[in-house]
Amino acid sequence: MTIAIDCRMLDSSGVGIYLKECLTWFLISGYDFLLLGNIRLLNSFSLNANVKIIECNIRPFSLKELFFFPSNISRQINKADVYYSPYFNIPCGIFVPIFTTIHDIIFPDMPELTSKTGLAIRMWFYRRAYKKSKKIFTVSNYSKSRVEHHLGNTKPVIVSPGGIQQICIEYGNCPENIRKINTIVFVGNIKKHKGLDCLIQAFQKAMIEGLSYKLIIIGSKENFRSGDNSILHKIDALGSETVSFTGYIPDKQLMEYISQASLLIQPSLYEGFGFPPLEAMVLGTHALISDIPVFKEIYDGFPVTFFRAGDSDDLKNKMIELLLNKTPPSPVLSNALLTKYSFEKTASIILKELK
């Protein structure tokens, strides 16, 4: 069997991590693969005898992808047995069975994140992916319920959750890497649904009560949209010695920031899965996370602390309790918890359905 895979989003955040880690396991399955994307990013996979790479830098969700996708590329894709997209964008001219992953369906659930026109466009892409796909993958039971709510239940929706990155496992297995300092980390794209405003409010209140930790935002100021300027003003008022942005950092440095932190806070209002708390625990850092439904699902049984989503007072109280009144407990993961989410399992679920 030959599987064509859209790898154009390999360098994106959550989607890219999901795809990169799955590819590692896909390629040892014995099947043949046609990888579509940037040759430079895919170069490490080119040494595999069962891999053929097609250069394609056409932007996902673009008009060219929808209406003018190169016929020489689509012809090669159509020689494969199936086509898999790790996101909900599908080029025109593909006639083999199509499978897609819809990680979340945030925009109809949180329409305030975009304009009415933006929502209409995104819903058109969601519905198009649903219509064209033989089966849909998603990353949690919560996301499955939302996909079925907004798009219907006439197609199989299979849960293929995310896992722990291999670099995280390797870094966490070296005890000398774990050296705690007085920092709190926040990881993620800096958008409204990530709950950063709630975190900043809670952090300010905690400082008044004596908290002397530094907050490190692993992200870039440039990712803020104009509507988030009020958060920027609050952060600037606190000063760079108190709150700092890392900007883009490589994976190894990300592991270092997380492993050294006394606490990771993930105050999200909405997620499809949510990697950082899982990786924090593997790296020996306690996670304080919002009690949104998907986190209650994914982290059930894990040694995390929940706070009421969007409630800065509750978040502040939990921060004070963990950081001032006692040392945050170092998370201890049983073998069952360590293996609950693995990309080997994720890849096997996807491959089983593609067959």
Side-chain angles (χ1 to χ4, degrees):
M1 182 170 75
T2 299
I3 303 170
I5 302 180
D6 186 349
C7 300
R8 287 174 292 159
M9 297 187 71
L10 194 61
D11 60 345
S12 63
S13 54
V15 176
I17 291 171
Y18 187 90
L19 174 59
K20 180 182 67 174
E21 295 292 329
C22 283
L23 279 173
T24 300
W25 297 102
F26 285 163
L27 300 187
I28 63 173
S29 65
Y31 298 119
D32 293 321
F33 291 88
L34 188 65
L35 305 184
L36 175 73
N38 185 302
I39 287 180
R40 179 182 59 82
L41 295 175
L42 292 170
N43 187 55
S44 61
F45 300 109
S46 63
L47 300 177
N48 294 270
N50 60 335
V51 170
K52 179 181 178 182
I53 296 174
I54 301 176
E55 175 79 18
C56 181
N57 294 312
I58 294 170
R59 190 164 53 87
F61 301 105
S62 65
L63 289 175
K64 189 170 184 179
E65 178 188 66
L66 280 173
F67 303 110
F68 308 106
F69 199 71
S71 58
N72 64 313
I73 296 179
S74 58
R75 277 197 299 270
Q76 293 183 74
I77 292 172
N78 287 324
K79 291 178 182 178
D81 295 289
V82 296
Y83 177 82
Y84 170 62
S85 172
Y87 210 39
F88 59 100
N89 60 297
I90 302 170
C92 65
I94 298 177
F95 303 112
V96 295
I98 295 170
F99 298 77
T100 55
T101 293
I102 298 178
H103 293 257
D104 60 55
I105 194 159
I106 185 172
F107 293 103
D109 277 341
M110 295 188 72
E112 65 272 19
L113 294 178
T114 187
S115 64
K116 289 184 178 180
T117 301
L119 176 59
I121 292 171
R122 287 171 172 84
M123 286 307 299
W124 185 85
F125 277 107
Y126 281 129
R127 293 188 180 107
R128 180 175 180 270
Y130 188 84
K131 180 180 179 180
K132 287 183 171 290
S133 298
K134 184 175 181 180
K135 294 179 181 178
I136 303 287
F137 299 102
T138 194
V139 293
S140 62
N141 287 311
Y142 174 76
S143 283
K144 175 180 178 178
S145 71
R146 302 316 296 158
V147 168
E148 291 177 337
H149 174 79
H150 290 291
L151 302 179
N153 55 8
T154 60
K155 297 279 182 74
V157 179
I158 297 102
V159 176
S160 52
I164 305 168
Q165 292 187 78
Q166 186 59 34
I167 188 174
C168 181
I169 296 172
E170 293 170 358
Y171 198 93
N173 284 337
C174 297
E176 63 271 19
N177 290 330
I178 312 300
R179 180 177 59 84
K180 294 300 179 186
I181 57 178
N182 287 354
T183 59
I184 300 167
V185 291
F186 164 91
V187 184
N189 293 323
I190 306 172
K191 298 176 183 177
K192 289 182 179 178
H193 68 282
K194 294 295 185 178
L196 184 58
D197 191 26
C198 177
L199 172 54
I200 295 301
Q201 291 180 43
F203 186 68
Q204 287 177 309
K205 295 172 183 177
M207 286 178 61
I208 293 171
E209 296 189 24
L211 187 73
S212 58
Y213 285 67
K214 182 173 183 177
L215 173 61
I216 298 176
I217 299 172
I218 300 179
S220 171
K221 278 189 177 183
E222 285 67 39
N223 287 335
F224 276 93
R225 298 180 179 181
S226 58
D228 293 314
N229 284 339
S230 61
I231 305 176
L232 274 177
H233 293 323
K234 293 176 184 176
I235 292 172
D236 288 340
L238 290 170
S240 60
E241 294 299 315
T242 303
V243 182
S244 66
F245 291 86
T246 64
Y248 169 78
I249 55 175
D251 288 341
K252 186 175 181 180
Q253 193 174 356
L254 171 62
M255 300 300 115
E256 182 180 341
Y257 273 114
I258 295 176
S259 66
Q260 289 182 351
S262 295
L263 189 66
L264 175 136
I265 299 180
Q266 203 70 26
S268 304
L269 301 175
Y270 192 101
E271 294 283 353
F273 182 86
F275 289 107
L278 185 62
E279 295 181 341
M281 285 184 284
V282 173
L283 295 170
T285 297
H286 194 78
L288 174 56
I289 62 179
S290 56
D291 64 351
I292 56 176
V294 71
F295 281 173
K296 298 289 280 189
E297 172 196 339
I298 298 299
Y299 294 103
D300 179 40
F302 282 86
V304 299
T305 300
F306 290 101
F307 74 94
R308 290 190 296 274
D311 187 334
S312 62
D313 286 323
D314 191 44
L315 175 53
K316 180 264 296 182
N317 290 337
K318 296 290 172 57
M319 290 169 63
I320 294 293
E321 180 183 352
L322 289 169
L323 294 173
L324 288 188
N325 297 343
K326 61 181 180 181
T327 302
S330 182
V332 177
L333 301 182
S334 65
N335 287 334
L337 290 178
L338 276 170
T339 59
K340 184 175 182 179
Y341 300 114
S342 75
F343 279 107
E344 181 179 9
K345 288 182 180 179
T346 308
S348 67
I349 291 170
I350 294 173
L351 288 175
K352 179 181 177 182
E353 299 299 331
L354 296 185
K355 286 194 292 185

